[in-house]
Amino acid sequence: MSFDPVELAVPGVRGLAPYEPGKPIEALAREYGLSDIIKLASNENPRGPSPRAVEAARVALESVHRYPDGAATDLRARLADRHGVSASAITAGNGSNDVLDMIARVFLGPGANAVFSRHAFAVYPIATRAAGAAANVAPARPADDAEAPYGHDLEAMAAAVDADTRVVFVANPNNPTGTWIDGDTLHAFLRDLPDHLVAVVDEAYFECADVPGYPDATRWLDDFPNLIVTRTFSKVHGLSGLRCGYCLSSPEIADLLNRVRHPFNVNSAALAAATAALDDETFLAESVANNTRGRERLTDGLRELGLGVIPSAANFVAVDVGRDAAGVYEALLREGVIVRPVGGYEMPRHLRISVGIDSENERLLDALRRVLRA
Ligand SMILES: *Cc1c(COP(=O)(O)O)cnc(C)c1O
């Protein structure tokens, strides 16, 4: 019997490359025999989770013999209150990846396509192709663009939309570039889109995007009935390991997403922690302050090393190391510093470096200085 599962897989899956996560600290410790390791690779909150969120999760663990609240009632009510919308406008996900995947399963399929930018977040092509749809990848802004090198080119994205486009993904700011789009430009782009598609604005880094002109797309839900805005607790809220994200949309879109949502998709510890994290404004403010300070320090420090840094509104910076970044990445691993190579995003000379706490940022800069001199 010559059984080949690859032959049986649907075509979209056959052509996929799996998502490559940042290297876990434990893996580096095991492979290189290192102990004092820092990880600046996955855009996590380097300060840890909110203590209030951890306590809420601990309490929730006492009841894990019960299924979670499949409707995420408390969290959605709190989010509705926070955003000034009805709870029926909110869909909770097992991370915002889960929400992106629901969107793809509802609106994409064979014969349809999704439009997104080159160098955009890796989950867009995965969700699109797994749904059997085609990816219409728009060219990005050029490497020597003054404002947003490698960033989304909204004119090119609009030109990539055709009669079969059902989803447009805009990451604002984008991962792995850190580039962002100002409010007037993004609003005009959304206004001019045809009405046979949904527009997804992915605001995974919303809380740390404290840059002039950065828009809150959730304010535009009344302007655009086809708009979906995604948010997450994984980044500045510090809950990556629990997996919780959500989106805002019209109740009609939320009803469609709910039809494909896995029952009990958000676990009870995540629901409790996310709800508590929303109220921990001190933790959030301190995390944002750490990020803003660290992002400036990394940007300046990397430029002092003579490297090109893409201006970032996120909790990481992408830096051009002036050579194939794979070797620099490896050399940094030997220094006990984990960053993220982004060759898979067609940026082979860049590393994506997450903002750490102050001492971690200094250690990264020292290690990189040594590595580049060697
Ligand atoms: C990290 C990230 C997400 C989602 O992460 P989740 O942990 O699944 O919420 C979504 N979009 C972008 C652009 C990201 O960088």
Side-chain angles (χ1 to χ4, degrees):
M1 182 185 174
S2 67
F3 173 71
D4 182 359
V6 177
E7 289 288 314
L8 304 181
V10 293
V13 171
R14 232 179 284 159
L16 275 182
Y19 182 83
E20 276 183 50
K23 189 188 260 303
I25 289 176
E26 297 72 23
L28 181 61
R30 200 167 52 234
E31 290 163 24
Y32 288 65
L34 294 171
S35 53
D36 186 17
I37 294 169
I38 62 170
K39 182 184 178 205
L40 304 176
S42 299
N43 306 341
E44 298 148 342
N45 186 331
R47 303 176 65 245
S50 147
R52 287 164 69 170
V54 172
E55 184 50 31
R58 217 191 298 280
V59 172
L61 286 179
E62 302 289 341
S63 304
V64 286
H65 58 299
R66 304 287 181 204
Y67 278 102
D69 172 10
T73 313
D74 290 348
L75 176 62
R76 288 174 53 242
R78 290 282 296 102
L79 287 168
D81 192 41
R82 178 67 62 102
H83 288 288
V85 299
S86 139
S88 60
I90 293 178
T91 305
N94 184 27
S96 54
N97 276 321
D98 185 28
V99 176
L100 296 171
D101 204 52
M102 285 184 235
I103 294 167
R105 281 186 288 135
V106 168
F107 294 104
L108 296 173
N113 69 66
V115 167
F116 49 86
S117 175
R118 195 177 176 205
H119 316 300
F121 185 45
V123 166
Y124 309 151
I126 293 177
T128 298
R129 296 205 171 98
N136 276 8
V137 183
R141 294 169 75 150
D144 61 359
D145 188 272
E147 279 166 42
Y150 302 92
H152 290 13
D153 176 342
L154 293 187
E155 276 177 35
M157 289 180 68
V161 170
D162 64 27
D164 297 324
T165 303
R166 293 292 171 270
V167 180
V168 174
F169 290 107
V170 176
N172 198 33
N174 182 44
N175 171 12
T177 59
T179 48
W180 73 97
I181 302 155
D182 71 81
D184 291 346
T185 308
L186 184 55
H187 192 275
F189 171 77
L190 295 171
R191 185 195 60 213
D192 293 343
L193 285 174
D195 59 11
H196 61 261
L197 52 80
V198 295
V200 179
V201 177
D202 180 343
E203 295 187 335
Y205 301 96
F206 176 83
E207 295 81 2
C208 56
D210 52 353
V211 290
Y214 176 77
D216 174 352
T218 66
R219 303 235 173 99
W220 302 336
L221 288 166
D222 289 338
D223 300 358
F224 306 119
N226 65 339
L227 177 62
I228 306 176
V229 183
T230 62
R231 297 274 183 97
T232 182
F233 290 94
S234 294
K235 306 290 160 58
V236 182
H237 284 290
L239 298 177
S240 324
L242 281 174
R243 317 300 302 126
C244 190
Y246 64 100
C247 71
L248 295 95
S249 69
S250 69
E252 290 77 13
I253 289 178
D255 173 58
L256 289 163
L257 299 178
N258 197 40
R259 296 180 198 189
V260 301
R261 190 175 58 79
H262 294 181
F264 314 112
N265 58 328
V266 188
N267 71 71
S268 34
L271 288 173
T275 309
L278 271 181
D279 286 332
D280 199 343
E281 282 168 19
T282 308
F283 173 83
L284 191 64
E286 287 169 358
S287 297
V288 170
N290 177 79
N291 186 65
T292 305
R293 184 172 71 242
R295 189 175 62 206
E296 277 168 22
R297 172 65 186 130
L298 283 178
T299 302
D300 293 347
L302 292 165
R303 286 184 177 150
E304 279 161 22
L305 295 179
L307 306 176
V309 181
I310 302 176
S312 170
N315 62 355
F316 58 84
V317 293
V319 56
D320 182 345
V321 294
R323 59 181 94 162
D324 182 15
V328 178
Y329 165 69
E330 283 292 332
L332 284 172
L333 288 181
R334 272 180 222 103
E335 298 268 348
V337 178
I338 312 175
V339 296
R340 187 69 175 280
V342 286
Y345 287 89
E346 298 183 278
M347 297 173 70
R349 288 157 53 107
H350 283 77
L351 291 174
R352 193 192 69 195
I353 302 171
S354 305
V355 174
I357 57 173
D358 296 342
S359 59
E360 292 174 326
N361 299 331
E362 296 310 320
R363 182 159 158 206
L364 173 278
L365 290 169
D366 286 345
L368 188 57
R369 187 179 302 112
R370 273 194 300 280
V371 162
L372 292 175
R373 279 206 193 120

